[in-house]
Each structure stands twice: as C-alpha cells, then as structure tokens.
Amino acid sequence: MIKQYMKEHGYPKLKKAKNSEIFQALMEMTNEMLQQKKMQQKKLQQEKNGEDQKKIYYISSEFLMGKLLGNNLINLGIYEQISKELMKEGISLAFIEEWEAEPSLGNGGLGRLAACFLDSGATLGLPLDGIGLNYHCGLFRQVFRNHKQKEKPDDWMKNNGFLKKNKKSYTVEFGGFHVRSICYELEVSGYHNRINTLHLFDLPEVERKIIRRGIRFNKKKIKKNLTLFLYPDDSDEEGRLLRVYQEYFMVSNAAQMILEEAKKKGCNYHDLDAYARIQINDTHPSMIIPELIRLLGKKGVGFEEAVEIVTKVCAYTNHTILAEALECWPMSYLEKVAPSLVPIIKKLDRKIKKKYSLPKVDIIDENQCVHMAHMDIHYSHSTNGVAKLHTEILKETELHEFYKLYPERFHNETNGITFRRWLLHANWALAKLLIDSIGEEFITRPEKLEDFMQYYEDNETLKDLSSIKMKNKKRLANYLRRTQGKRINPDAIFDVQVKRLHEYKRQQLNALFAIHMYLEIKRGRVLPTPVTLLFGAKAAPAYTIAKDIIHLILCLQELINKDPDVSPYFNVIMMENYNVTLAEKVIPACDISEQISLASKEASGTGNMKFMLNGGITLGTEDGANVEIHQLVGDDNIFIFGEDKDTVIERYQRGDYRSKDYYDKDPMLKEAVDFIVSEKMLKIGKKKNLNRLYRELLDKDWFMTFPDFQEYVAIKNKAYAAYENQREWLKMSLVNIAKAGYFSSDRTIQSYNEEIWRV
C-alpha cells in the first residue's frame, strides 16, 4: 500500500527513501484516505436524509491529542498492514512515527479526556465536533537545567501535516477593538466509523517572534499574543486578563460557528435546541452562555426566550473541587475584555437573586466577581461530575446548595479512555494477546474484556503477560537512553507517578518515600528486586512550590543514582517533558501505578485507567476513579492506603490541621523531612528552593502529606514484597486488564448521549 503510493507520487523507492520521506508519504496518504472517507460519509448522509440535524459541540480550552498518524492508521484499519509492509524492508513504523510533532494543545487529564471523547464520538458514529484554540507554542516544552524546570516554546506546528487551515472566519468584538479570526482543523477518525472535526481558532497576526527569553512575552499585545500559549502565566493582572481574552475569543467564535451551521440546516434560532448540544468542559468556556444569549438577541430572539433556549442547549462538566480552579473573574476584567456580555451577565444574576435569596448561589458576589461555575449550573440543563466519588462530593458539600435547587440536573459520568490509543497503539503486543485469546470484539465492546478472566490460572497466558511487560520495559529503557540520555534497569520494579505536578497529587509524598528508602539502604537494607521510581510531570511556570518539588526530585536523582551503595537497589528518574508520546512508552512498562492524591481532591484521574488497562497495579488512596477501580478489582488486586474523604473533609472544616504535630511525633517522618535541607542535599541543590519547600511542608502541608506518610511507606513495602511472587503478581495484572472495560471512553460518551445530549 505505502510502496505503491510512494511510487505513484514521485517518492524514492521505499528501501532507498529517508525516514522523513516515508513519514511525509504516509501522512499524505492518510490525509487523502480521511478526506475520501469524509466524502463518503457526507454522500451517505445525503442519500439517507441530509446532514445530521442535531450536532454536539464539545468546547474545551485543551485537547491533548497526541500524535495523529498511528492513531489514524489504526482507526482506518491499516496500521498492521503498513507496519508489516515497512518491516519487510527493515523499517520500523514506530521510528517513522517519531517524525511527527505532537500537537501541544493540552496540559493534563482535562485535555487528554477531551481527545478521548472526540475519538469515541467518532467511533460511536455521533456527530461530535471539538472547538478550542490553536496554541502556536502549546503549554511549553520542559527542559531541566541545574536541577530545575525551565520552559521553552513548543513549536509543534512546524512538523504537523494533519493541521489544515479552512475558510471559517468570524469577527470578535473586544472592548475598544475587534479581531478577525482564522480557523484550523484536525480530522478526528473513529474506529472503522465516521470522521469528525476539531476546530481550532486563531489570529493571523499572532507572532512567535515577540517571545523573549524562555516563554516570556509582552502580555499587552493581544493581537500578537492571543493564541501563543496555553495557560499563559497569570501571576499578574496582565496574564489574568489575557486568559479572559482567550476564553472570550474561543466562545465567541464557537457561538458564531454553531449558529451559522444550524442556520444552514434550517434552524430559525427559536428552535436551536433541535440543532445543537454544547458541552462546556470545565469553566474556561463558560462565557458561551451569555455570548449565545447576546447573539440570539441580535437575531430577534427575546431575552427570556434566549435564556430558555441556551439552558436547553448547554451542559456543564465540573472537573474539580479545588476552589482555585473554579474560575471567578472580576467584573472589571469582563468590562475591559467583553463589555457586550456585562449587561447580560448582570441580568442573569438578577434573575437568580430574585428567585433565590441565597448568596452562595449568586453569579456575581459582593466583591463584584463573576463565578463562572455558578452561571454554568444555573443556565445549563445538566451538571455532571466525572467519577462517582467526585459527584457525591459535589452533591454533598461543594455544590450542595445547587444540588438542592436542581437535583434533576446533576449526573455522574465517570471518565474513560480510548482503547485504540492506549492499548492498540501503545501496547500492540498486549492487544494481540487479547485478540488471540478472546477475539476482537472488546475493541468496540469493552465489556468483553471480562472474558479474559478465564485465563486467570493459565500458565501460558501469565508467561505471555510477563514477556510483554519485559518487552515494554526494555522499549522504555531504550527510548529514555536514546532521547534523554537516562539509563534504567529493565529488571527493576517500575514504580511510576506521571501526571501534572500539583501539591494535591502529592509527588512530595513519593519524594519523601524516596528519601526514606535511600536512608534505609544506606543503613544496610537490601531490596531483593531493584526499584526504579519514575516521575514525569510539568509544573505551571508560576507555581513556585510545584517547581520546588521538581527541584527536590531532580536533586534526589543526582544523589541516589550516583551513590554506589544505593544505586544497585534503588533509583529515581525524573523524565523530561512528559507528554502523550512519552506516556505511550511509560504506561505499558509500569508495574506499580502511583495514584496518591489526597482523598477528596482528585475529581477522577484517567492515568489510573490507562495503567490498569495495561496491567499496572494501582497503589493509591480512595480518591477519584480509584474508588471504582477498587470496587471492580477487589481488595486483593490493588494497594489502598490513606485517610478517607470524610476524615479529610472534616479536618478542613475544623481547620485544626498542624503538620508540625505529626513531624514532632514521628521520627521516621522527621528524618525524611529534615533530609530535604541536609548537607548532602544542599551540596547538590539550591538552598532557597529546598528551604522554601521544607518550610511549606513543616508550616502548612495543605494537602496533608504527613498524616499518610507511615501508611504510605508500609503499603509501598507491601507492594514490593508482593512483586516477588511473580505468578500471583501476574494474576493481579490479569485481573486489572480484564476489569478495565468499564473505563472505556466509548462507555462514557454513550452515557453522556443517553443522559444529557440525546442525539
């Protein structure tokens, strides 16, 4: 197939072609196939009854898509064929895929979930398009210098041939000036099904050259900086205003496009809910509500009717209970950025104040701050959490007053992941074992994974699982050596914590364990199987403590890996620039999946699901989707520790937590914490950073690392001991794989459609 394509399109013969030429040919061929499929899809729709009348628009500030070539080849059904064709010439498709630049359009779970949802929507045949922004330099590319994180622009657009510019263009009116947008698109292929689209809005005036050292730039030049970076530094007012500009630009384009598409299909604006469903992914797109009301008003729809229409059309997904993540913008910001929305938001707020004499549910508070989540809940027909525990917490505490007002609007939609990327592409060897064992049906009917349980006692299957895990460990080791110069032992236990760096995710707890383990080995303890702690995480540029935690981990990496007494038994590795591409190598290689957030703080998590699907064993707290993983696999196939959500929530409510009390009572904890500022560490690291983190833990420890420390050390040792019985460990791994079907994003999207969108 690829050999013939290259011959017909003037490329060198396959055996003589450069990897870059093969990549270019594959990308062009794939794009042509996607377009052909899209035309066939359109023709089929016209033959039936015209275009899909009702369409779902998933609006999100993030879409962490990952590289697209391999995923498209899988969904088109030709990945294995292409791989075999290349292999005959001694060419690895995996190496060819490395030529593609990963779209840097997301940060963590929020963006990765959005990407999975687009894939699942297309796979299920739903008309579900994404709408976001085309960030030229993404979040940032992480590099390590002097044991610290440094940020550089991620110029992903230079080498991504799937991004296409289209003719969509809209005028967006800001306070005092206006802009004219342009739009880029990424085709989203479903598995043996339809093609949907991710629409990414941009400005033609945006200039890469205004970036100075690192990722600093002039935040005042809105026309030149608007889509430069995802989540620009908001530690000053200019940065916060820029975020509001970005959000309004996104939703204004989205609203205009949605109305335009609905009109072409016969919508008279009064019946918009028959043509559109809008999912507001977190609070960043919240201004879609007043913007749609404003635009409907310009089309002749009265205010009250417009409010009713928009409420029917919009639904809101809450992803957090962290107060700082529930956006609240000063009214003065909106007056500057989007003055046309201000009178509408005030009218929406007056309606609520008139109806409910309850300040907790006001949209505009006494300090003239606009609570975006409050507007979403009042003026959408659905609010959903993303895991059973998360939704319970929203109902019982964080959004309890809203739940009392609108109990019928609250739903739970537990997050999911797409098996095409996280199994078929990331771990083909395991996928092949499953196909050979239970057939292909699980790819589109994930509940069929349960059939794998019949091999629970099968020695050959367990042996295959062991072989696949070792193959994946060696693949990761080779990749890290080749791309980052890091050396890891594939015979070690891979104990992995990869996720966004945030105090509530508690990488600092894992680092304290690393210190404890280092000191234990120095005292003569010998581990029967070596352990490698693998970290991967980016810290927001302005998040000082998060960057201090990275500094601590990098200092420990230097100290431990160069100590001849310790390094044969225990290593710490901080992987640079953790992204989807690296995740596809890390997740299949994992033995122990660290999911150790403070109970009640993680909404769901999706990394926990990816590890589970690939046979990693969860070591975590009863938080987020860990609760559902625990219920599915049972007590014997997971390692649970830590205080429960009720204990944590009550302690926050009492406000009586003092980390120093735990430090004073626990010599093992005290030793580990004090080591942060020990002479050995200060020889490697910076006193300012290490001392600041030390004081933060000792004086504050807001996410309660100390109360869980003793139990965490114990459960880690229990997991390491369990690994020594390889047959039982592999059986645990098999159970996790077999029970992972529930966490398919296909199931999640099917549930969204049945309960919320009804398309």
Side-chain angles (χ1 to χ4, degrees):
M1 178 182 279
I2 184 59
K3 187 182 288 187
Q4 185 65 26
Y5 184 89
M6 292 177 74
K7 181 180 178 181
E8 292 173 356
H9 290 78
Y11 283 95
K13 287 185 177 180
L14 187 55
K15 64 174 65 177
K16 293 183 178 180
K18 298 175 183 176
N19 283 353
S20 58
E21 292 171 323
I22 300 170
F23 167 70
Q24 187 67 29
L26 269 174
M27 188 180 61
E28 289 174 4
M29 184 188 78
T30 305
N31 269 322
E32 286 181 19
M33 292 181 72
L34 290 172
Q35 291 308 313
Q36 288 168 7
K37 193 164 186 179
K38 200 165 188 179
M39 293 299 291
Q40 291 168 358
Q41 176 179 304
K42 194 170 185 180
K43 185 180 178 183
L44 190 63
Q45 288 170 340
Q46 288 170 346
E47 288 173 357
K48 287 183 176 179
N49 55 3
E51 287 187 80
D52 303 298
Q53 178 168 311
K54 191 182 288 185
K55 188 173 178 180
I56 306 153
Y57 299 90
Y58 196 87
I59 309 179
S60 176
S61 64
E62 296 185 44
F63 288 91
L64 194 55
M65 301 300 291
K67 292 183 178 182
L68 298 166
L69 175 61
N71 203 61
N72 282 328
L73 292 175
I74 286 171
N75 286 345
L76 289 168
I78 59 172
Y79 187 91
E80 194 173 5
Q81 180 183 345
I82 295 292
S83 181
K84 286 178 179 177
E85 190 177 343
L86 291 176
M87 194 56 70
K88 284 180 181 178
E89 303 293 343
I91 301 164
S92 165
L93 178 53
F95 279 118
I96 300 301
E97 291 179 66
E98 288 188 19
W99 280 88
E100 181 183 356
E102 179 180 322
S104 189
L105 300 170
N107 176 23
L110 182 78
R112 187 54 228 160
L113 181 76
C116 286
F117 281 4
L118 295 186
D119 182 292
S120 286
T123 296
L124 293 172
L126 289 171
L128 189 161
D129 279 6
I131 303 176
L133 296 180
N134 187 52
Y135 307 104
H136 291 228
C137 299
L139 182 71
F140 58 83
R141 182 165 60 85
Q142 181 191 55
V143 295
F144 297 142
R145 297 285 184 272
N146 300 319
H147 307 105
K148 290 184 179 181
Q149 170 182 290
K150 301 294 181 184
E151 302 86 25
K152 290 189 174 183
D154 190 352
D155 296 307
W156 67 277
M157 290 174 65
K158 289 180 181 178
N159 196 27
N160 191 293
F162 290 103
L163 188 71
K164 298 287 188 296
K165 190 176 176 182
N166 75 6
K167 295 180 180 178
K168 287 186 174 69
S169 180
Y170 305 102
T171 299
V172 178
E173 298 281 350
F174 293 122
F177 69 100
H178 69 274
V179 296
R180 186 75 185 172
S181 69
I182 55 175
C183 184
Y184 290 89
E185 290 182 346
L186 288 171
E187 305 291 5
V188 180
S189 58
Y191 185 71
H192 295 191
N193 208 326
R194 67 179 288 144
I195 309 292
N196 287 330
T197 304
L198 170 57
H199 308 272
L200 299 165
F201 287 98
D202 202 348
L203 280 182
E205 300 92 340
V206 169
E207 287 188 11
R208 164 73 169 77
K209 66 183 181 183
I210 73 167
I211 301 171
R212 300 191 293 270
R213 186 166 60 87
I215 58 171
R216 296 177 184 175
F217 61 94
N218 187 330
K219 296 176 189 173
K220 291 182 179 179
K221 294 184 177 181
I222 302 301
K223 289 184 180 181
K224 293 186 177 183
N225 69 25
L226 187 60
T227 53
L228 264 182
F229 288 101
L230 166 65
Y231 300 144
D233 175 12
D234 62 351
S235 58
D236 56 23
E237 186 170 73
E238 289 175 2
R240 291 189 289 276
L241 274 168
L242 177 53
R243 292 223 185 167
V244 182
Y245 276 111
Q246 284 186 333
E247 291 179 6
Y248 182 57
F249 180 71
M250 175 171 66
V251 302
S252 181
N253 279 292
Q256 291 179 73
M257 189 188 87
I258 291 165
L259 292 178
E260 180 182 77
E261 290 191 352
K263 179 67 175 176
K264 284 180 181 176
K265 289 185 280 189
C267 174
N268 64 16
Y269 303 120
H270 299 276
D271 59 353
L272 181 63
D273 68 297
Y275 291 84
R277 285 290 178 268
I278 296 170
Q279 193 67 35
I280 299 170
N281 192 34
D282 214 350
T283 53
H284 312 110
S286 299
M287 282 185 278
I288 190 72
I289 290 171
E291 178 67 357
L292 266 178
I293 292 169
R294 183 183 74 84
L295 292 176
L296 286 171
K298 291 179 73 173
K299 305 293 184 184
V301 180
F303 177 78
E304 294 298 333
E305 185 188 358
V307 170
E308 186 178 337
I309 291 168
V310 170
T311 303
K312 289 178 182 176
V313 167
C314 290
Y316 163 57
T317 299
N318 175 286
H319 283 276
T320 185
I321 63 167
L322 297 177
E324 65 267 27
L326 291 171
E327 291 178 312
C328 181
W329 294 120
M331 182 62 79
S332 59
Y333 286 15
L334 298 181
E335 288 168 345
K336 185 177 179 65
V337 175
S340 60
L341 295 191
V342 171
I344 295 168
I345 293 171
K346 287 182 176 178
K347 286 177 79 172
L348 294 174
D349 180 58
R350 283 199 295 273
K351 280 173 66 71
I352 297 305
K353 285 184 166 78
K354 186 177 180 181
K355 194 172 182 181
Y356 310 112
S357 182
L358 191 63
K360 281 186 177 180
V361 303
D362 289 349
I363 295 171
I364 305 172
D365 66 21
E366 59 184 5
N367 298 315
Q368 289 299 292
C369 264
V370 181
H371 292 260
M372 294 299 174
H374 295 189
M375 184 164 62
D376 292 332
I377 298 167
H378 286 305
Y379 295 106
S380 66
H381 67 279
S382 169
T383 292
N384 73 276
V386 291
K388 286 180 182 176
L389 178 66
H390 174 232
T391 303
E392 285 173 17
I393 292 170
L394 293 180
K395 290 178 179 180
E396 294 169 4
T397 57
E398 300 303 313
L399 298 178
H400 182 61
E401 299 300 334
F402 292 94
Y403 178 60
K404 287 196 294 185
L405 298 178
Y406 313 114
E408 75 288 352
R409 294 187 185 181
F410 277 72
H411 300 90
N412 175 63
E413 307 297 345
T414 296
N415 284 346
I417 58 172
T418 168
F419 286 16
R420 273 75 63 185
R421 180 175 291 276
W422 295 109
L423 187 59
L424 272 69
H425 188 251
N427 197 352
W428 174 245
L430 177 57
K432 185 72 166 58
L433 174 64
L434 289 166
I435 290 167
D436 291 344
S437 302
I438 61 174
E440 295 186 1
E441 201 175 357
F442 73 90
I443 299 171
T444 51
R445 291 188 59 204
E447 68 275 10
K448 297 298 289 182
L449 267 183
E450 185 83 29
D451 292 349
F452 196 45
M453 281 299 296
Q454 66 189 282
Y455 295 92
Y456 181 70
E457 296 284 358
D458 186 78
N459 289 331
E460 286 303 310
T461 299
L462 296 177
K463 192 185 297 182
D464 287 339
L465 285 178
S466 178
S467 175
I468 289 165
K469 184 64 72 175
M470 179 53 69
K471 178 183 174 183
N472 287 324
K473 285 177 157 186
K474 287 178 177 177
R475 180 179 65 155
L476 175 61
N478 291 334
Y479 184 79
L480 289 176
R481 185 175 66 251
R482 180 164 52 84
T483 60
Q484 300 189 15
K486 291 181 169 69
R487 295 186 177 275
I488 58 174
N489 174 13
D491 291 319
I493 298 170
F494 282 12
D495 185 347
V496 182
Q497 187 177 17
V498 287
K499 50 187 74 248
R500 183 165 47 92
L501 202 305
H502 197 295
E503 288 169 276
Y504 87 82
K505 295 179 184 288
R506 301 204 295 186
Q507 286 93 344
Q508 66 273 27
L509 177 58
N510 204 351
L512 287 174
F513 170 81
I515 292 171
H516 168 74
M517 184 60 70
Y518 168 79
L519 294 171
E520 283 284 278
I521 294 171
K522 291 295 281 185
R523 285 190 282 259
R525 178 181 175 186
V526 175
L527 293 169
T529 300
V531 173
T532 296
L533 277 188
L534 286 156
F535 292 89
K538 292 180 181 179
Y543 192 169
T544 301
I545 295 300
K547 294 177 88 168
D548 288 343
I549 294 169
I550 287 178
H551 182 60
L552 171 64
I553 295 168
L554 289 171
C555 290
L556 290 171
Q557 176 181 275
E558 170 89 2
L559 173 71
I560 292 169
N561 298 357
K562 288 187 176 180
D563 190 317
D565 296 332
V566 178
S567 57
Y569 309 105
F570 185 66
N571 294 104
V572 172
I573 296 289
M574 183 82 189
M575 297 173 288
E576 194 173 68
N577 199 45
Y578 182 70
N579 58 11
V580 176
T581 303
L582 185 49
E584 288 177 344
K585 314 290 191 302
V586 174
I587 288 168
C590 168
D591 294 307
I592 296 173
S593 161
E594 297 271 351
Q595 308 298 330
I596 60 176
S597 55
L598 177 64
S600 81
K601 294 301 179 185
E602 183 71 86
S604 167
T606 54
N608 46 6
M609 304 168 189
K610 294 162 197 163
F611 285 114
M612 178 191 188
L613 177 64
N614 282 274
I617 314 299
T618 302
L619 187 154
T621 52
E622 288 272 37
D623 197 24
N626 292 355
V627 174
E628 286 153 284
I629 292 174
H630 188 183
Q631 290 168 350
L632 286 164
V633 303
D635 293 342
D636 295 334
N637 300 292
I638 193 170
F639 297 98
I640 294 293
F641 78 99
E643 296 183 327
D644 61 28
K645 72 165 176 80
D646 294 331
T647 302
V648 171
I649 290 170
E650 287 170 13
R651 189 183 287 131
Y652 274 123
Q653 289 172 343
R654 293 195 308 270
D656 61 356
Y657 175 62
R658 289 184 72 252
S659 56
K660 191 75 163 51
D661 293 343
Y662 290 84
Y663 170 88
D664 289 336
K665 292 175 185 175
D666 184 348
M668 188 170 82
L669 172 65
K670 183 179 187 301
E671 179 185 49
V673 174
D674 287 349
F675 192 80
I676 294 172
V677 289
S678 66
E679 187 177 332
K680 281 186 176 181
M681 291 295 285
L682 292 173
K683 278 184 180 179
I684 298 170
K686 300 294 182 184
K687 183 176 181 179
K688 177 181 177 182
N689 301 86
L690 294 173
N691 195 59
R692 181 168 53 208
L693 178 57
Y694 173 74
R695 294 310 327 172
E696 182 78 13
L697 289 169
L698 211 53
D699 299 338
K700 186 178 177 184
D701 187 30
W702 182 246
F703 295 101
M704 302 180 192
T705 307
F706 290 4
D708 282 347
F709 179 72
Q710 281 279 352
E711 201 175 339
Y712 182 56
V713 171
I715 203 72
K716 293 262 270 193
N717 286 322
K718 181 180 178 182
Y720 296 164
Y723 185 85
E724 296 307 311
N725 186 334
Q726 268 295 286
R727 190 172 191 278
E728 291 304 311
W729 184 270
L730 290 165
K731 287 164 69 175
M732 292 170 67
S733 181
L734 187 146
V735 171
N736 274 266
I737 295 165
K739 300 292 184 179
Y742 176 74
F743 294 111
S744 165
S745 53
D746 294 357
R747 185 268 313 154
T748 311
I749 287 299
Q750 188 68 45
S751 180
Y752 268 93
N753 195 40
E754 290 172 358
E755 297 186 4
I756 300 172
W757 303 328
R758 301 192 174 114
V759 173

